[in-house]
Every structure is written in C-alpha cells, then in structure tokens.
Amino acid sequence: MKKIILIKISCITAALFLIAFSNCNGPHHIIKPTVMIDSSRGLKDYYNNYFTIGVAVSPRALKTDEATLILQQFAGMTPENAMKMGPIHPKENEYFWRDADSIAGFAKRNNLKLRGHTLCWHNQTPAWLFKDATGNQVTKEVLLQRLKDHITTVVKRYKGTVYAWDVVNEAISDKKDEYLRNSLWLKIAGEDYIAKTFQYAHEADPGALLFYNDYNEISPVKREKIFRLVKSLKDAGVPIHGVGLQAHWAVNEPTRSQLDSTLQRFVELGLKIHVTELDISVYPKEHDSRERRPEDAVTAFTPAKEQGQLEVYKMCFELFRKYRRHISAVTFWNISDRYSWLDNFPVSNRKDYPLLFDKDLKPKKAFWEVVKF
Ligand code: HXH
C-alpha cells in the first residue's frame, strides 16, 4: 500500500516537474509545424531535368537586387524590349546596341541561355522602316532588303550567344474570319514575308533555333490558324524549329482541358514547343483595352487573388510537366511583381501581380505550388 502511494507521489512530482520545466521558457518554445524550405534550390534546379526556366529582363534590372534573384532562379533570359526593331534599329543607318549588349554580356558571363526577341513584328517598329526618303511607302523589294539587312546585322552580332530567336511575332489575325494580320508587312510584302524572315535568320546563324511566336494560342480559332501557319512553313521546307506560346494567361483562363488540348495540338507539329512569355494575371482576362472603372478600385493582392492565381500556376506546370518531351523552355515575362508589362494593361491605373516573386523578391505561395512535384 505504502509502495503504491510512493509511486503515485513520485509520478505526480515528475509530471509537475515536466509541466513546470516545459513552460519555463514561455509559449514561444512550442514547436510550430514548418514547411521544409530548401532555399538553395531555384526554379531552374527543380526543373533541371524538364525545361530551361527563363525570364524576360530589362538592362536596368541587371543592375539591381533582381540580378541576384535571376542567378538563383533562372537558367535562361529574354530581353523584354532591347532586341525589338524599334529600340535596336532606330534609324536606317544607326543601331543602338548598348541595352541588348549589356543583356547579352550578362547572359554570357553567367552561362544563361539567351532567347532573342524578336526579328519581325508589326508593333514597336522604327518610324523609318516603311517609308522612303520622300515619305512615301516603300516597295516590296526595298522592305524585304531592309528586313534582310536588319536580320543579318542583329543575328550575326549575337551568334553564339542567342541560342533561339522569336523570328516572327504575332503575324496571325485576331479577327475570326481573317488568317494573317493585315499589317504593313503583309500589305507591302505579301504573305511570303514570313518565310523570307525565317530564311534570312537561318542564313545569318545556321545554328540558331528559329521560332514562330504568338498569343491567345488557347483560343481554338486562333490556335488552328497558328497551327496552319507553322505547319505550312514546315511543309514548305522553311527553316523553322518550333512554336512559341506566349502564355499571357489569367485567373480565369486557360482551363485545364483547354490547355491540355492546346499543348496536344501543337505537339502534332513535331517541332519544339517553347512557352515564351508566361504570366498569370490576378484579374479575369479582358481581351480589349479600356479605361479604369469604379469597380476596379480594389487593386490589392488579396488572399482570394493569391489562391486563384496559385491554382492556375499549379495546373499549368502540371501540364507542362506532362508534355516535357516536347516543351524545352518556359520563360516568365518579367522577374517579380515589382514590375510587369501588365501594370496598367489593359486597364489604366491598375497594378497586377502576375509572377512568382513579390515586390520584395520573396517567393509567393504560387511558387511553392510550382516546385512541389
Ligand atoms: C507580347 N504581346 C509581346 O510579344 C512582347 O514583346 C511584349 O513585351 C509584351 C507582350 C502580347 C499582346 C498582344 C496583343 C495585344 C496586347 C498584348 O493587343 C491587345 C490590345 C488591347 C487589348 C488586348 C490585347
């Protein structure tokens, strides 16, 4: 009896001791469950055996703390604007190399794969391009000669540094019943300006991979037109190696089945697929530019926006991984939510948060969904 009482007393004492001891340092000693974060691994490492993860950059970003983030996270780069015809070739006999050179130098020094963007586009063209000295529209012959000179000069300069070019950008029309965009390229030079552009690029650097690049590829109508163009180039023996899907998407599109059938369709081309300009807007997609309205007042990155965005990012990368044998590069269009081309577009005075890193360059919840596989 005495023995039992003694055991009881010592048990109670031990328990009291344990409680007292475990509480002596206050509640902050309670171990919280934490997610295991391996901060030494970037996107490029998680996807090492899948595709080259790239990012669109400005020369300015490479002189800030964003440069460190680029080196931690990305294996590839695309100049957002610096190699476009307007910025790089402002006058007929004048090139502006500084910005493109500084991006190419950074890529070279740090062993990043550089995608060139872009050689022929209807937008951001220099003022002189379509006009002769008297202000009249140039002929087909003059325009194609100018295009050839431009491509030869630019592509040769970055030979060995740029491994892939977006050769023609956005040549397909958004109008339901129109095939090619009715641009000055088409009006002046006719349909074969596209094949010619690829030929000029191939002659300037036979080792570069050449892509046709376009947006709204998830729309069944546009998708079939892109498919038709790329297939016709390939069948005609034009040097084209892949299709670039811009992937400017949003919280409401694409759906899983829409993206799956899009990727499935482009796989049938038997060419490479690059996802070239990925971002997921936190606002439902609007396909037309408009002024800001009162209901646009909430521009904060709310938990609901965060959740919607992470679900789309998760789904997209699940499908990218499914098609890993065909997709060889995935490039984000800008580095962090500090700056995106979507700020003020297509709605004026509206901030967007379309990327995987916040304005302090910290990974967002969507980042952890993308690397969890
Ligand atoms: C891309 N265009 C370009 O390839 C890239 O060079 C640029 O830096 C950013 C995006 C996407 C785009 C295409 C058409 C377009 C807007 C963006 O036209 C619209 C105009 C108004 C409303 C909706 C689309």
Side-chain angles (χ1 to χ4, degrees):
M1 191 65 185
K2 262 188 186 173
K3 237 184 181 174
I4 293 168
I5 290 167
L6 260 175
I7 290 167
K8 270 188 179 167
I9 289 170
S10 44
C11 278
I12 290 164
T13 318
L16 282 174
F17 197 79
L18 266 176
I19 290 164
F21 195 78
S22 63
N23 276 343
C24 69
N25 279 332
H28 63 272
H29 237 214
I30 295 165
I31 299 164
K32 286 192 204 128
T34 49
V35 183
M36 290 305 285
I37 294 171
D38 184 352
S39 60
S40 63
R41 294 183 85 204
L43 289 168
K44 65 175 165 57
D45 306 307
Y46 290 99
Y47 281 96
N48 193 24
N49 296 324
Y50 288 77
F51 11 76
T52 304
I53 302 279
V55 64
V57 302
S58 69
R60 240 195 60 76
L62 304 181
K63 296 184 169 65
T64 70
D65 49 345
E66 288 190 309
T68 315
L69 186 75
I70 292 169
L71 297 181
Q72 280 168 359
Q73 299 290 336
F74 299 98
M77 288 200 313
T78 306
E80 181 183 7
N81 293 307
M83 288 187 182
K84 288 172 181 171
M85 201 170 185
I88 210 170
H89 197 171
K91 294 184 181 153
E92 185 169 8
N93 297 309
E94 194 181 307
Y95 284 85
F96 176 74
W97 299 118
R98 191 194 65 198
D99 289 354
D101 279 3
S102 97
I103 292 169
F106 185 95
K108 222 173 177 155
R109 286 195 301 282
N110 295 297
N111 236 345
L112 289 151
K113 293 181 84 171
L114 191 61
R115 298 190 82 263
H117 177 81
T118 173
L119 297 171
C120 181
W121 190 24
H122 65 283
N123 240 334
Q124 299 190 38
T125 51
W128 60 271
L129 180 66
F130 299 114
K131 300 240 181 268
D132 67 16
T134 56
N136 294 321
Q137 201 166 82
V138 291
T139 62
K140 171 176 182 167
E141 289 64 38
V142 171
L143 185 59
L144 289 176
Q145 187 58 47
R146 285 179 174 183
L147 178 64
K148 184 173 187 186
D149 290 346
H150 170 80
I151 289 176
T152 308
T153 310
V154 174
V155 172
K156 282 199 165 154
R157 186 176 184 93
Y158 299 109
K159 197 171 174 164
T161 309
V162 168
Y163 82 105
W165 276 101
D166 290 328
V167 176
V168 176
N169 198 32
E170 305 179 350
I172 296 292
S173 173
D174 288 317
K175 296 183 187 141
K176 206 168 164 286
D177 301 315
E178 191 174 76
Y179 174 42
L180 294 175
R181 181 185 298 277
N182 196 16
S183 68
L184 281 172
W185 291 111
L186 184 70
K187 280 188 211 160
I188 300 171
E191 208 173 314
D192 61 336
Y193 84 88
I194 299 173
K196 289 229 158 57
T197 308
F198 278 90
Q199 265 141 19
Y200 301 152
H202 184 64
E203 279 159 30
D205 182 359
L209 296 175
L210 307 182
F211 285 76
Y212 173 74
N213 193 47
D214 215 326
Y215 65 92
N216 208 11
E217 62 300 278
I218 55 174
S219 134
V221 176
K222 181 101 177 254
R223 183 196 309 166
E224 286 313 305
K225 287 192 272 185
I226 300 172
F227 184 92
R228 172 180 157 194
L229 174 64
V230 176
K231 176 112 177 28
S232 71
L233 292 168
K234 185 190 174 205
D235 291 349
V238 173
I240 180 166
H241 309 106
V243 59
L245 312 180
Q246 289 189 8
H248 291 297
W249 298 330
V251 278
N252 64 332
E253 65 171 50
T255 63
R256 183 183 293 268
S257 66
Q258 193 180 11
L259 180 55
D260 202 341
S261 43
T262 300
L263 295 171
Q264 185 59 57
R265 183 64 172 143
F266 287 118
V267 162
E268 287 171 38
L269 284 168
L271 295 174
K272 290 178 191 300
I273 298 174
H274 280 189
V275 174
T276 52
E277 307 185 15
L278 177 63
D279 45 26
I280 312 284
S281 171
V282 298
Y283 303 101
K285 190 86 169 182
E286 294 177 75
H287 290 271
D288 295 299
S289 184
R290 66 165 174 86
E291 282 304 304
R292 192 184 155 99
R293 293 194 292 248
E295 62 267 33
D296 298 324
V298 183
T299 60
F301 188 54
T302 59
K305 288 194 180 89
E306 185 174 34
Q307 185 62 29
Q309 181 184 52
L310 76 79
E311 282 165 14
V312 180
Y313 261 121
K314 180 176 191 288
M315 179 275 290
C316 289
F317 275 84
E318 279 166 5
L319 289 176
F320 295 163
R321 292 194 298 273
K322 174 177 171 186
Y323 291 96
R324 63 188 285 191
R325 289 197 306 118
H326 308 278
I327 300 174
S328 40
V330 175
T331 302
F332 289 84
W333 209 244
N334 302 130
I335 306 162
S336 74
D337 290 345
R338 221 178 247 183
Y339 158 76
S340 154
W341 75 288
L342 287 166
D343 295 335
N344 305 314
F345 178 85
V347 177
S348 53
N349 290 309
R350 190 175 70 176
K351 174 85 188 116
D352 210 333
Y353 309 86
L355 300 159
L356 292 183
F357 301 93
D358 67 18
K359 64 174 175 30
D360 299 319
L361 312 186
K362 296 278 178 293
K364 291 157 66 180
K365 280 190 186 164
F367 172 95
W368 299 111
E369 296 299 328
V370 164
V371 300
K372 201 162 56 185
F373 62 91

